[in-house]
Amino acid sequence: MIQGGVIHIEYVVAWSAFLGGWLLVAGPMYQGALELREESERFEDLRSVQSRRPTGGTPTSSWWWLVPPVAVIKERRRRKKVQREFMKTLTAGQRRTMTTFANKAKGWFIVCAGAFFIALKETWHLTHLYHWPLWTYIALVLVPLVLSFLHTSRGVRLTVLIMGAEE
């Protein structure tokens, strides 16, 4: 890393990419959680619908699981049918609320997943550069990932407490 008192730029870039990759995970995770929390406040109207929710229809027979691809297709069809029946019981406004929430959740999940893959690559590059063992790579993935979850959880909890205190 340091030769003759000079820091090699490759190491600085590798550490910067590692940190940047994990910030790209933590940021969207946090922002997505905040936005979805805010969006879920509109669900009050949907809470009354829970009692009308369809039971789920007849479950796929266990015998079909002897042929897993067929069982998966049958189960997917059954769930889609239940979902269609449930959506028919909702008003247009309730469907809009659910669809908006689902679309935002899907979007934030895609952003977080993409950032996670970038962070994995940059973490791998860093461990490869230093010739560190695999367990170091695993630790360098788990620690920032757990810290991202903790930061998001704490931030959302504090936001809820602060917003609750204002009311």
Side-chain angles (χ1 to χ4, degrees), residues 144-165:
L145 186 61
V146 168
L147 289 174
S148 295
F149 279 118
L150 290 174
H151 175 263
T152 298
S153 175
R154 184 173 184 269
V156 169
R157 203 171 335 114
L158 286 174
T159 301
V160 169
L161 286 173
I162 290 169
M163 298 299 264

Side-chain angles (χ1 to χ4, degrees), residues 5-22:
V6 177
I7 298 176
H8 285 268
I9 192 72
E10 184 177 4
Y11 292 92
V12 173
V13 169
W15 278 103
S16 298
F18 166 78
L19 292 171
W22 285 105

Side-chain angles (χ1 to χ4, degrees), residues 5 9 15 23 26 37 39 42-43 45-46 50 54-56 63-64 68 108 124 135 144 146 162 164:
I9 192 72
W15 278 103
L23 288 173
R37 170 73 177 91
E39 192 71 32
R42 297 188 183 120
F43 274 36
D45 187 32
L46 291 173
Q50 279 298 85
T55 58
W63 288 104
W64 283 112
W108 280 115
W124 181 257
W135 68 265
V146 168
I162 290 169

Side-chain angles (χ1 to χ4, degrees), residues 26 36 44 78 80 82 101 111 115 121 130 143 145 151-152:
L36 292 174
E44 198 57 46
R78 183 188 69 80
K80 282 185 178 183
V82 169
F101 183 86
V111 171
K121 182 254 181 210
Y130 282 97
V143 168
L145 186 61
H151 175 263
T152 298

